[in-house]
C-alpha cells in the first residue's frame, strides 16, 4: 500500500490509484472537482484541468516536488507523496482561471437549461469561480444539430470534455459522433445527418457534465429541483435495470442512471429503461435517492447557486 | 472582430460510387504494409492525401466512407481526422489552390502585400474560389520556408522569394492552362550573388 | 567560420545520391557501429558527446535513449520528427532536401543503439518534395543493403518509412506526432507515461528531431569526446540556425555553439547585418515560441556580458531578461517592425494551431488573439494590456502540452519589453489604424 497525504490528511491506497481517487477516499472538501474525468470511462480525464493539484513531495524516495501542477485525475500516487489541493493558493488560483476559461463561451442560459440544478459547471463556478467577467468578446455560438428523437444536443453548452465520445466508444457498438475540427473550432458532431441511436446511446446524457446533451423525452421539461428522485429497478434483459426515477406527484418525468456524489453513474442503463419505461408500474421502487451533498438540488433554490455577476443579467427571470 | 458563429454544417452523402484504380489500390496496400499488422489505421492520413489528389482535389462524405471501408475503420474516425488537419479540404476547391503564408516571418517580409495583390488580381477574397474554377485562395500558417519569405504554395509546389512581378508571371503561367510545373529552385546563395 | 558536421559536403554536386554521399565518407559510421560496437556503446558515445535535442527542448539525447524500455519485450520504435512547423524554423527541410542520407545514416545508427527494427520519418504534409527525395534515398539505401534485413551482414534488421502529416503544427509535439502516426487527430497525450515507455502503438519509442539524428553518424565516427570539444560548456557541437526576417542574408547556417550573437547578426559569413542599413530592433532567437528580446538584451545580457549562441547564454537572465535557443529559428526585426502586429500575428498562429483538447489553451489562445486584434485595430484599452499578461499567465503551466506555454511566452515577453508600443496603440488608435508590418517608421512610438 502507498501512503499519500492530501491537504494534511493521510490515507493508504493501492499502487495505481490516482490522486483524485485517493482524495475521494478521504472525502470532504479536499476532493478536487472533476469535469472531464469519469471513473467508468477508460482514458477519460486530463483535459478540462479543473482537478489540478500541487505535488509538493513526489515520493518518500524522491522527495522533489513536481514543478507544474498535475491533473489529479490522471496522476498516480507514489508512496510518501504529499499533495496540496485547497491548501495551495497556487491551485486555488489556477482553478479559478480554469473556471473562467470554461465559462468564457458558455451561454448564460441556466434559467432555460434542463441541466440547471444538476450541472457540474454550475456547481463548479459557484464554488470556485471569480466574481467578475473580464471577457468582452463575442461568445462562440453554433447552429443547433439534430441528433435524433431521443437526445437533444445544445452545442453552445458543450465544454468538450470528451466524456460522451468515450461513452459511445466503450458502451455502444458503433460510435457515430465525435470531436470534429480543431482548437477553438472543435465541436461535437455526427458530421453527416444521423441520429445517435442504439441500445446504450442514452448514457451520453448521463455522462455529460453540463446541459449539452439532454433527454428529449423528458416530459413537460421541468426544473429538476421540483422533481423527487426515487431509486428503482426492474428486471431488464439488456442492462442492470438500476435507475433513478424522477417524479412530480405520481408521474415519472424522466429516467436516468444513478449518479453518485461525484455525478458519476456506475451502472449504465439501456435506452429501453431510459426512454420507454415511464410508468411507475414498470418499476420496483427502492426508496428516495440521496442526492449529492454539493448539488444545488439539495438547496432547493436556484438563486443560491448562480455566480453573482455572470448570471446576474438573468436574475430577473429567475425571481 | 473575428467571426464567432460557427456554422455547424452537416454534410450529406451523395451516394455516388467511388473507387480507386487497381494501381492506386496497390499503392495503398504498400502503404498499409509499412505499419504493423492490425495498425492499418496508421495509413489514414497518407490514404486521404491520395484520395484528395485523385478524386478532384477535395474530400466528400462518399470518399471518406470509402476510405473508412478500405482501412476497416468507422466513418466517424475518418471525419474526425479529416476535419483536424488543414491540408484536407471538405469543400470543393479550384484547380490551383494558392496558399499564402501569413505567419510572422513572412508577414514582416511582405507577405501581407502578396495576399492583397492576389486578392486584387484574382478578384476574390481569401477563402474563395474564382468563378472559372481555376483558383482558390487560402491563407496558411508557416510553411517552414521562412528564410525565403514571402512564400506560397500552389497545390504541392512551393513558390519562394515572392514579389509582385513574380506573382504576375506565376498567374499568367497557370492561366495558360499549362500543368503545374516545379518552380525553379533558387538558393540563398544564388539570390545574393 | 562555419564548422560543419551535419551540413558537411552539402554543396557537393549530387550529394543527395548514395554513391556520391558514399564517396564523401557516407555510411562509414554504420560499419563501425554495427561491426565493432554494442548498442550500449553507441548510447554511451552519444552521452559523452553531450548532444542535446535540436527540436526545441534541448533534452540530452543519450539520456533520452537510455530511458527506452528494453525489458518489456515489446517492439521498439524510432521516429524522426520532421514536422518542422515552428515559425522561423526551416533547417530540417534544407537538410533533408540536400543531404537526405545524412539523416538516414544517423537513423540507422540510432535504431541500432535503441534496438528498434522499425523507424519512421514523420514529415509535415506540405513538404511533398522532401518526401519524394527521402523516398528515393531510402530506396537507394535498401538496394545497397543499408536498410532491410541483416544490414551489412550484422544480423541487425531495420525498416524505415516516410510518413506524411497533413497540416498541423501540434503534430510536432512528440506525443501528438505519435497519435497522428497512428492515424488519429493530433491530440497530445498526457505524460507520464513517456514515449520511452509507452509510445507508438503503446510500445517503447524514441522521437528525435532531424538535426539531432543527423549528428549521430559523426559522433559514431569520431567519438563522443571529439564532439564534446566542439561548442561551449554544456552546449556541445554545432547547431543549425534558420535565420530570417529583416536581414541581408537569410538562410540556414551551421554554427559552432558559442558564437557571439553580435557576430552572427552582423558578420557577412552569417546574417550580413540588417536589411536596408536599418537598425536592429529585436530578435526572437529560437522559433516563435521563445521570448522576444530587444536589441540591448539580445546582444548583451543584463550584466553586460556578450550574448552567445548557446543554450545557456541565450537563457541567461531567465524570462525577465533572457530567452531560449529553442529550435534555432532566428527571427530578426528591424527598427520599423511593429511588435504589436507581430505579437497579434503569432497569437493568431497559436490560436489556429491549438488542438483544442484542454480548456486553458483552447479558450485562452482565442481570447488573447481577440484582445490583440482589438489593440492592433485601434480598439484597445489600457486595461487590455494587463488583461493579456494575466491571460498568458493563466494558460502557462496549466495545459497538457507545451503549446499553451508557447502561446503565452511571446505575448508576455512582447509586453514585458515593448509595453510602450502597446500603449502607443491604445493611446493613438487613429494613427495606427492603417499601418501594416514595417510601416512604423513614421510614428514616434516612444511617446
Ligand atoms: C507545440 C510543439 C511543437 C513542436 N514542434 C516540433 C517540430 O516541428 N520539430 C521537432 O523536431 N520538434 C518539435 N517539438 C519538440 C518535440 O516535442 C520533441 O521534443 C522533439 O521532437 C524531440 O526531439 P529532440 O530531443 O531530438 O529535440 C515541438 C514541441 C511542441 C510542444
Ligand atoms: S456534449 Fe457533454 S459530454 Fe460530450 S463533450 Fe460536450 S460537454 Fe462533454
Ligand atoms: S496545450 Fe493546447 S495544443 Fe496542447 S494539448 Fe492543450 S489544447 Fe492541445
Ligand atoms: S477532471 Fe482531471 S483534468 Fe478534467
Ligand atoms: S513564416 Fe512563412 S514560411 Fe515560415
Amino acid at each position: 500500500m502507498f501512503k499519500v497525504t492530501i491537504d494534511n490528511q493521510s490515507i493508504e491506497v493501492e499502487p495505481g490509484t490516482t490522486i483524485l481517487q485517493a482524495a475521494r477516499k478521504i472525502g470532504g472538501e479536499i476532493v478536487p472537482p472533476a469535469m472531464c474525468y469519469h471513473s467508468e470511462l477508460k482514458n477519460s480525464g486530463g483535459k478540462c484541468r479543473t482537478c489540478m493539484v500541487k505535488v509538493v513531495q513526489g515520493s518518500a524516495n524522491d522527495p522533489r516536488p513536481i514543478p507544474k501542477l498535475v491533473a489529479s485525475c490522471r496522476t498516480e500516487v507514489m508512496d510518501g507523496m504529499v499533495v496540496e489541493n485547497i491548501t495551495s493558493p497556487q491551485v486555488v488560483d489556477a482553478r479559478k482561471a480554469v473556471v473562467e476559461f470554461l465559462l468564457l463561451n458558455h451561454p448564460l442560459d441556466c434559467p432555460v437549461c434542463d441541466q440547471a440544478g444538476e450541472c457540474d459547471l454550475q456547481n463548479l463556478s459557484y464554488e470556485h469561480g471569480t466574481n467578475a467577467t473580464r471577457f468582452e468578446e463575442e461568445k462562440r455560438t453554433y447552429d443547433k444539430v439534430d441528433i435524433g428523437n431521443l437526445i437533444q444536443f445544445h452545442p453552445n453548452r458543450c465544454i468538450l470534455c470528451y466524456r460522451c465520445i468515450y461513452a459511445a466508444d466503450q458502451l455502444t457498438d458503433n460510435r457515430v459522433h465525435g470531436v470534429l475540427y480543431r482548437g477553438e473550432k472543435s465541436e461535437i458532431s455526427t458530421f453527416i445527418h444521423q441520429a445517435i441511436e442504439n441500445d446504450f446511446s442514452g448514457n451520453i446524457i448521463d455522462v455529460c457534465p453540463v446541459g449539452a446533451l439532454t433527454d428529449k423525452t423528458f416530459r413537460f421539461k421541468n426544473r429538476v429541483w421540483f422533481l423527487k428522485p426515487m431509486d428503482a429497478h426492474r428486471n431488464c434483459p439488456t442492462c442492470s435495470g438500476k435507475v433513478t426515477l424522477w417524479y412530480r406527484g405520481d408521474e415519472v418525468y424522466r429516467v436516468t442512471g444513478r449518479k453518485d456524489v461525484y455525478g458519476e453513474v456506475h451502472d449504465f442503463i439501456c435506452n429501453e429503461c431510459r426512454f420507454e419505461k415511464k410508468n411507475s408500474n414498470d418499476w420496483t421502487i427502492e426508496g428516495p435517492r440521496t442526492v449529492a451533498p454539493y448539488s444545488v438540488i439539495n438547496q432547493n433554490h436556484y438563486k443560491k447557486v448562480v455566480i453573482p455577476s455572470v448570471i446576474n443579467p438573468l436574475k430577473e427571470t429567475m425571481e | 472582430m473575428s467571426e464567432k458563429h460557427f456554422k455547424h454544417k452537416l454534410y450529406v452523402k451523395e451516394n455516388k460510387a467511388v473507387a480507386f484504380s487497381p494501381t492506386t489500390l496497390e499503392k495503398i496496400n504498400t502503404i498499409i504494409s509499412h505499419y504493423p499488422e492490425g495498425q492499418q489505421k496508421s495509413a489514414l492520413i497518407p490514404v486521404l492525401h491520395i484520395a484528395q489528389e485523385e478524386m478532384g482535389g477535395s474530400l466528400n462524405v462518399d470518399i471518406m466512407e470509402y476510405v473508412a471501408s478500405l482501412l476497416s475503420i468507422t466513418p466517424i474516425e475518418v471525419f474526425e481526422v479529416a476535419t483536424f488537419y488543414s491540408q484536407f479540404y471538405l469543400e470543393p476547391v479550384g484547380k490551383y489552390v494558392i496558399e499564402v503564408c501569413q505567419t510572422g516571418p513572412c508577414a514582416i517580409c511582405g507577405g501581407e502585400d502578396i495576399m492583397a495583390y492576389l486578392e486584387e488580381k484574382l478578384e476574390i477574397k481569401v477563402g474563395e474560389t474564382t468563378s472559372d474554377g481555376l483558383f482558390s485562395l487560402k491563407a496558411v500558417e508557416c510553411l517552414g520556408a521562412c528564410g525565403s519569405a514571402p512564400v506560397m504554395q500552389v497545390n504541392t509546389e512551393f513558390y519562394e522569394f515572392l514579389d509582385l512581378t513574380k506573382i504576375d508571371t506565376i498567374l499568367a503561367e497557370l492561366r495558360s492552362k499549362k500543368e503545374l510545373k516545379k518552380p525553379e529552385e533558387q538558393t540563398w546563395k544564388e539570390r545574393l550573388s | 567560420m562555419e564548422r560543419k558536421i551535419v551540413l558537411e559536403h552539402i554543396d557537393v554536386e549530387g550529394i543527395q545520391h548514395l554513391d556520391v554521399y558514399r564517396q564523401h565518407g557516407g555510411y562509414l559510421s554504420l560499419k563501425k557501429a554495427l561491426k565493432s560496437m554494442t548498442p550500449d556503446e553507441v548510447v554511451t558515445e552519444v552521452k559523452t558527446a553531450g548532444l542535446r535535442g535540436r527540436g526545441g527542448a534541448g533534452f540530452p539525447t543519450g539520456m533520452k535513449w537510455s530511458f527506452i524500455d528494453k525489458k518489456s519485450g515489446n517492439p521498439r520504435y524510432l521516429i524522426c520528427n520532421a514536422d518542422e512547423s515552428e515559425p522561423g524554423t526551416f533547417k530540417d527541410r534544407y537538410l533533408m532536401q540536400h543531404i537526405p542520407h545524412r539523416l538516414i545514416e544517423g537513423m540507422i545508427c540510432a535504431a541500432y543503439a535503441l534496438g528498434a527494427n522499425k523507424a519512421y520519418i514523420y514529415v509535415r504534409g506540405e513538404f511533398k518534395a522532401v518526401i519524394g527525395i527521402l523516398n528515393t534515398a531510402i530506396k537507394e539505401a535498401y538496394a545497397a543493403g543499408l536498410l532491410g534485413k541483416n544490414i551489412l551482414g550484422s544480423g541487425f534488421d531495420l525498416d524505415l518509412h516516410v510518413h506524411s502529416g497533413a497540416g498541423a503544427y501540434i503534430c510536432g509535439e512528440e506525443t501528438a506526432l505519435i497519435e497522428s502516426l497512428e492515424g488519429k487527430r493530433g491530440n497530445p497525450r498526457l505524460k507520464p507515461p513517456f514515449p520511452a515507455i509507452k509510445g507508438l502503438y503503446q510500445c517503447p519509442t524514441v522521437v528525435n528531431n532531424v538535426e539531432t539524428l543527423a549528428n549521430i553518424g559523426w559522433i559514431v565516427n569520431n567519438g563522443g569526446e571529439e564532439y564534446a570539444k566542439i561548442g561551449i560548456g554544456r552546449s556541445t557541437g554545432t547547431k543549425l540556425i534558420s535565420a530570417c526576417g529583416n536581414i541581408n542574408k537569410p538562410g540556414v547556417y551551421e554554427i559552432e555553439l558559442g558564437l557571439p550573437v553580435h557576430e552572427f547578426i552582423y558578420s557577412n559569413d552569417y546574417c550580413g547585418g540588417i536589411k536596408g542599413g536599418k537598425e536592429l530592433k529585436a530578435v526572437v532567437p529560437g522559433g516563435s515560441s521563445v521570448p522576444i528580446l530587444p536589441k540591448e538584451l539580445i546582444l548583451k545580457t543584463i550584466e553586460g556580458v556578450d550574448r552567445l549562441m548557446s543554450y545557456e547564454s541565450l537563457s541567461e537572465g531567465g524570462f525577465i531578461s533572457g530567452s531560449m535557443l529553442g529550435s534555432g529559428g532566428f527571427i530578426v526585426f528591424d527598427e520599423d517592425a511593429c511588435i504589436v502586429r507581430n505579437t497579434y500575428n503569432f497569437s493568431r498562429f497559436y490560436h489556429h494551431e491549438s488542438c483544442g483538447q484542454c480548456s486553458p489553451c483552447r479558450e485562452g489562445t482565442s481570447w488573447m488573439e481577440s484582445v490583440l486584434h482589438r489593440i492592433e485595430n485601434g480598439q484597445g484599452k489600457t486595461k487590455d494590456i494587463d488583461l493579456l499578461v494575466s491571460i498568458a499567465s493563466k494558460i502557462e503551466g496549466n495545459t497538457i502540452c507545451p503549446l499553451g506555454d508557447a502561446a503565452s511566452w511571446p505575448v508576455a515577453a512582447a509586453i514585458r519589453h515593448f509595453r510602450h508600443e502597446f500603449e502607443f496603440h491604445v493611446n493613438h488608435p487613429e494613427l495606427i489604424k492603417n499601418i501594416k508590418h514595417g510601416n512604423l517608421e513614421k510614428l514616434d512610438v516612444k511617446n
Side-chain angles (χ1 to χ4, degrees):
Chain A
M1 295 294 268
F2 283 175
K3 185 182 157 205
V4 52
T5 308
I6 304 171
D7 285 341
N8 304 317
Q9 301 189 48
S10 297
I11 190 168
E12 300 226 322
V13 293
E14 295 283 341
T17 308
T18 60
I19 298 174
L20 180 73
Q21 290 298 6
R24 285 182 177 181
K25 277 207 163 137
I26 297 172
E29 55 176 9
I30 62 119
V31 182
M35 296 292 291
C36 68
Y37 171 80
H38 189 298
S39 64
E40 298 293 339
L41 300 174
K42 238 176 75 193
N43 298 326
S44 67
K47 299 182 197 303
C48 72
R49 317 305 285 171
T50 55
C51 72
M52 287 191 302
V53 294
K54 192 175 171 70
V55 176
V56 289
Q57 173 172 321
S59 69
N61 288 337
D62 183 355
R64 287 174 303 173
I66 299 181
K68 285 187 181 182
L69 302 184
V70 301
S72 63
C73 64
R74 289 285 295 267
T75 309
E76 292 182 6
V77 301
M78 303 292 283
D79 196 19
M81 188 184 261
V82 179
V83 177
E84 289 177 359
N85 179 25
I86 53 173
T87 50
S88 157
Q90 189 193 347
V91 170
V92 173
D93 256 18
R95 194 162 293 145
K96 267 198 188 130
V98 170
V99 173
E100 184 178 27
F101 285 131
L102 285 173
L103 286 174
L104 283 191
N105 282 294
H106 199 75
L108 302 177
D109 66 349
C110 305
V112 296
C113 176
D114 279 354
Q115 196 89 354
E118 52 177 358
C119 172
D120 293 346
L121 186 59
Q122 206 178 29
N123 295 330
L124 182 75
S125 46
Y126 180 51
E127 284 172 47
H128 305 278
T130 45
N131 286 320
T133 177
R134 308 183 291 167
F135 188 65
E136 296 175 9
E137 326 304 319
E138 282 173 35
K139 280 188 192 274
R140 191 166 63 216
T141 55
Y142 302 87
D143 285 353
K144 261 202 181 159
V145 204
D146 185 8
I147 53 168
N149 297 327
L150 301 175
I151 305 168
Q152 180 75 52
F153 179 46
H154 308 263
N156 294 349
R157 296 178 188 152
C158 171
I159 59 159
L160 287 165
C161 71
Y162 286 58
R163 280 186 188 175
C164 60
I165 312 291
Y166 293 117
D169 251 344
Q170 294 165 28
L171 306 175
T172 72
D173 295 338
N174 189 15
R175 176 166 67 88
V176 297
H177 80 296
V179 178
L180 301 181
Y181 306 97
R182 111 180 150 206
E184 193 208 4
K185 294 191 173 150
S186 303
E187 61 192 49
I188 298 290
S189 174
T190 45
F191 194 72
I192 49 176
H193 283 283
Q194 196 164 11
I196 302 183
E197 268 179 33
N198 56 57
D199 281 358
F200 283 89
S201 64
N203 290 297
I204 65 176
I205 299 170
D206 284 350
V207 300
C208 183
V210 292
L213 293 167
T214 53
D215 188 336
K216 245 191 195 172
T217 69
F218 185 1
R219 289 210 273 163
F220 316 116
K221 311 274 170 181
N222 218 309
R223 315 307 302 180
V224 289
W225 55 87
F226 295 137
L227 300 180
K228 218 168 52 206
M230 298 290 270
D231 279 353
H233 66 265
R234 68 182 267 268
N235 215 342
C236 175
T238 323
C239 70
S240 70
K242 291 185 192 161
V243 302
T244 301
L245 304 177
W246 298 76
Y247 279 96
R248 179 148 196 195
D250 295 337
E251 264 186 280
V252 177
Y253 272 50
R254 71 166 177 175
V255 183
T256 68
R258 295 183 188 173
K259 287 194 181 176
D260 70 6
V261 285
Y262 303 112
E264 289 183 356
V265 169
H266 300 283
D267 293 306
F268 292 109
I269 59 170
C270 68
N271 281 9
E272 192 187 341
C273 285
R274 180 187 307 272
F275 297 117
E276 284 161 35
K277 302 285 171 201
K278 295 211 176 162
N279 199 321
S280 264
N281 300 338
D282 295 329
W283 301 95
T284 312
I285 310 292
E286 295 170 17
R289 170 122 198 112
T290 29
V291 179
Y294 70 88
S295 164
V296 294
I297 299 171
N298 257 5
Q299 311 184 6
N300 229 331
H301 199 357
Y302 188 73
K303 264 190 300 175
K304 269 195 167 165
V305 297
V306 299
I307 354 146
S309 67
V310 179
I311 313 280
N312 248 355
L314 296 166
K315 205 170 149 218
E316 302 294 288
T317 348
M318 285 314 301
E319 282 172 349
Chain B
M1 177 72 52
S2 44
E3 171 64 58
K4 274 300 176 184
H5 183 77
F6 299 129
K7 266 251 171 277
H8 194 125
K9 176 169 177 180
L10 286 183
Y11 289 79
V12 271
K13 261 193 258 199
E14 287 170 34
N15 284 320
K16 284 199 192 118
V18 285
F20 286 128
S21 68
T23 355
T24 307
L25 282 174
E26 205 170 299
K27 198 157 105 192
I28 287 172
N29 281 331
T30 314
I31 293 176
I32 294 175
S33 77
H34 293 167
Y35 307 98
E37 209 153 324
Q39 301 293 353
Q40 74 284 355
K41 187 177 175 181
S42 277
L44 178 54
I45 291 174
V47 173
L48 283 177
H49 274 301
I50 295 175
Q52 178 162 290
E53 218 165 281
E54 296 198 356
M55 294 176 165
S58 61
L59 298 172
N60 62 32
V61 177
D62 296 303
I63 297 175
M64 287 190 271
E65 295 200 334
Y66 173 62
V67 168
S69 71
L70 283 180
L71 297 176
S72 323
I73 56 180
T74 58
I76 191 74
E77 291 178 274
V78 181
F79 305 149
E80 283 177 324
V81 165
T83 54
F84 186 90
Y85 296 93
S86 59
Q87 279 193 294
F88 297 129
Y89 311 134
L90 305 168
E91 300 292 337
V93 290
K95 181 170 177 202
Y96 300 112
V97 184
I98 303 181
E99 298 183 307
V100 184
C101 172
Q102 54 172 351
T103 314
C106 275
I108 60 171
C109 294
E112 293 180 349
D113 299 334
I114 298 292
M115 181 62 104
Y117 191 66
L118 277 164
E119 285 186 333
E120 185 192 318
K121 285 278 136 178
L122 297 174
E123 297 177 9
I124 51 173
K125 288 261 162 263
V126 58
E128 295 174 349
T129 300
T130 52
S131 50
D132 59 3
L134 207 51
F135 298 105
S136 292
L137 184 60
K138 288 177 187 282
V140 292
E141 300 294 353
C142 180
L143 288 166
C146 335
S148 24
V151 182
M152 70 182 194
Q153 191 177 21
V154 182
N155 296 4
T156 56
E157 298 298 345
F158 276 43
Y159 290 82
E160 308 177 50
F161 303 110
L162 293 172
D163 54 39
L164 304 191
T165 10
K166 260 198 182 163
I167 298 283
D168 284 337
T169 323
I170 295 165
L171 288 185
E173 222 170 77
L174 296 176
R175 275 213 171 98
S176 67
K177 307 264 175 184
K178 277 189 267 179
E179 281 310 300
L180 184 71
K181 63 169 199 237
K182 205 174 146 45
E184 261 170 59
E185 203 190 314
Q186 204 180 15
T187 66
W188 295 295
K189 289 185 194 87
E190 283 163 17
R191 193 165 144 270
L192 291 166
S193 57
Chain C
M1 271 316 296
E2 288 187 68
R3 165 92 202 220
K4 297 217 171 155
I5 291 181
V6 296
L7 298 188
E8 199 185 9
H9 305 307
I10 194 155
D11 290 329
V12 173
E13 187 71 32
I15 196 79
Q16 307 90 303
H17 295 294
L18 182 61
D19 48 345
V20 182
Y21 182 69
R22 278 188 134 171
Q23 282 155 25
H24 289 83
Y27 287 102
L28 287 179
S29 70
L30 215 53
K31 250 181 220 145
K32 182 167 174 191
L34 264 50
K35 300 242 159 110
S36 69
M37 294 169 83
T38 64
D40 285 344
E41 279 167 1
V42 178
V43 177
T44 307
E45 286 306 323
V46 174
K47 272 190 184 162
T48 313
L51 176 66
R52 292 164 70 175
R54 304 296 195 224
F59 192 84
T61 306
M63 201 186 317
K64 188 189 237 179
W65 289 7
S66 65
F67 292 152
I68 196 163
D69 176 11
K70 292 193 171 176
K71 280 182 239 115
S72 71
N74 287 327
R76 279 161 248 154
Y77 294 97
L78 169 67
I79 303 174
C80 169
N81 187 342
D83 190 57
E84 191 158 76
S85 318
E86 171 94 357
T89 316
F90 44 95
K91 64 189 176 77
D92 298 339
R93 171 179 180 236
Y94 182 66
L95 193 156
M96 292 184 289
Q97 200 157 29
H98 295 278
I99 191 156
H101 283 289
R102 175 113 332 125
L103 170 62
I104 298 170
E105 178 178 356
M107 284 189 78
I108 304 171
C109 290
Y112 173 71
L114 295 164
N117 301 115
K118 235 182 201 333
Y120 298 96
I121 308 177
Y122 184 100
V123 186
R124 65 178 295 178
E126 292 88 341
F127 287 175
K128 190 100 199 242
V130 173
I131 292 173
I133 291 168
L134 285 172
N135 275 329
T136 310
I138 289 174
K139 220 178 257 166
E140 289 176 335
Y142 266 105
L146 300 166
L147 282 172
K149 293 253 169 281
N150 193 16
I151 297 170
L152 300 176
S154 64
F156 175 64
D157 307 335
L158 179 66
D159 275 318
L160 175 62
H161 301 290
V162 177
H163 182 99
S164 146
Y169 164 65
I170 190 57
C171 291
E173 195 281 331
E174 56 184 6
T175 58
L177 185 154
I178 289 172
E179 287 281 299
S180 182
L181 190 39
E182 291 183 1
K184 302 179 191 155
R185 297 160 62 81
N187 285 353
R189 296 178 180 172
L190 280 117
K191 296 193 250 187
F194 289 92
I197 311 296
K198 281 189 173 156
L200 184 62
Y201 312 126
Q202 296 300 315
C203 295
T205 303
V206 162
V207 181
N208 273 132
N209 173 256
V210 174
E211 184 189 347
T212 312
L213 291 165
N215 273 293
I216 305 302
W218 196 99
I219 293 174
V220 168
N221 280 333
N222 301 279
E225 235 168 87
E226 277 308 301
Y227 190 89
K229 286 183 192 157
I230 306 165
I232 183 166
R234 285 181 56 234
S235 294
T236 60
T238 64
K239 175 88 190 80
L240 294 183
I241 305 293
S242 318
C244 63
N246 308 131
I247 47 174
N248 282 318
K249 292 173 61 195
V252 175
Y253 298 97
E254 181 164 10
I255 59 152
E256 176 165 351
L257 285 163
L259 182 82
V261 173
H262 188 280
E263 185 180 345
F264 184 70
I265 297 176
Y266 292 103
S267 158
N268 252 331
D269 291 332
Y270 309 106
C271 301
I274 310 304
K275 211 169 172 178
K278 289 189 189 173
E279 272 291 313
L280 169 66
K281 182 189 228 173
V283 173
V284 173
S288 62
S289 304
V290 310
I292 190 169
L293 288 180
K295 177 178 179 178
E296 316 79 72
L297 287 174
I298 186 67
L299 297 177
K300 286 188 192 304
T301 65
I302 199 119
E303 267 94 41
V305 183
D306 279 346
R307 206 55 95 185
L308 308 177
M309 301 286 280
S310 72
Y311 291 96
E312 291 74 22
S313 179
L314 282 172
S315 51
E316 183 81 42
F319 276 6
I320 309 284
S321 65
S323 184
M324 283 163 82
L325 178 63
S327 61
F330 198 84
I331 314 168
V332 180
F333 299 85
D334 69 25
E335 54 188 313
D336 295 333
C338 174
I339 300 297
V340 177
R341 193 173 185 86
N342 193 69
T343 309
Y344 160 63
N345 186 302
F346 281 173
S347 80
R348 186 209 56 232
F349 173 83
Y350 290 105
H351 173 207
H352 185 258
E353 300 300 333
S354 161
C355 83
Q357 241 191 138
C358 54
S359 30
C361 173
R362 178 181 68 240
E363 306 296 338
T365 52
S366 147
W367 193 3
M368 288 200 297
E369 189 205 326
S370 302
V371 176
L372 278 159
H373 185 264
R374 268 199 283 121
I375 297 180
E376 171 60 20
N377 286 286
Q379 291 147 8
K381 305 181 206 75
T382 307
K383 68 171 194 237
D384 286 337
I385 303 173
D386 290 319
L387 176 61
L388 282 171
V389 175
S390 164
I391 303 170
S393 75
K394 294 190 162 171
I395 303 173
E396 186 188 343
N398 292 337
T399 54
I400 295 176
C401 88
L403 188 137
D405 304 339
S408 313
W409 294 340
V411 175
I415 297 177
R416 189 179 310 126
H417 300 300
F418 294 94
R419 197 177 184 103
H420 55 277
E421 286 199 22
F422 287 83
E423 284 168 353
F424 185 88
H425 275 66
V426 169
N427 295 332
H428 302 279
E430 67 298 341
L431 288 178
I432 49 96
K433 244 180 198 151
N434 292 318
I435 60 160
K436 292 192 290 180
H437 277 288
N439 282 4
L440 218 56
E441 74 265 42
K442 293 167 212 88
L443 305 176
D444 183 9
V445 292
K446 298 270 175 200
N447 293 305

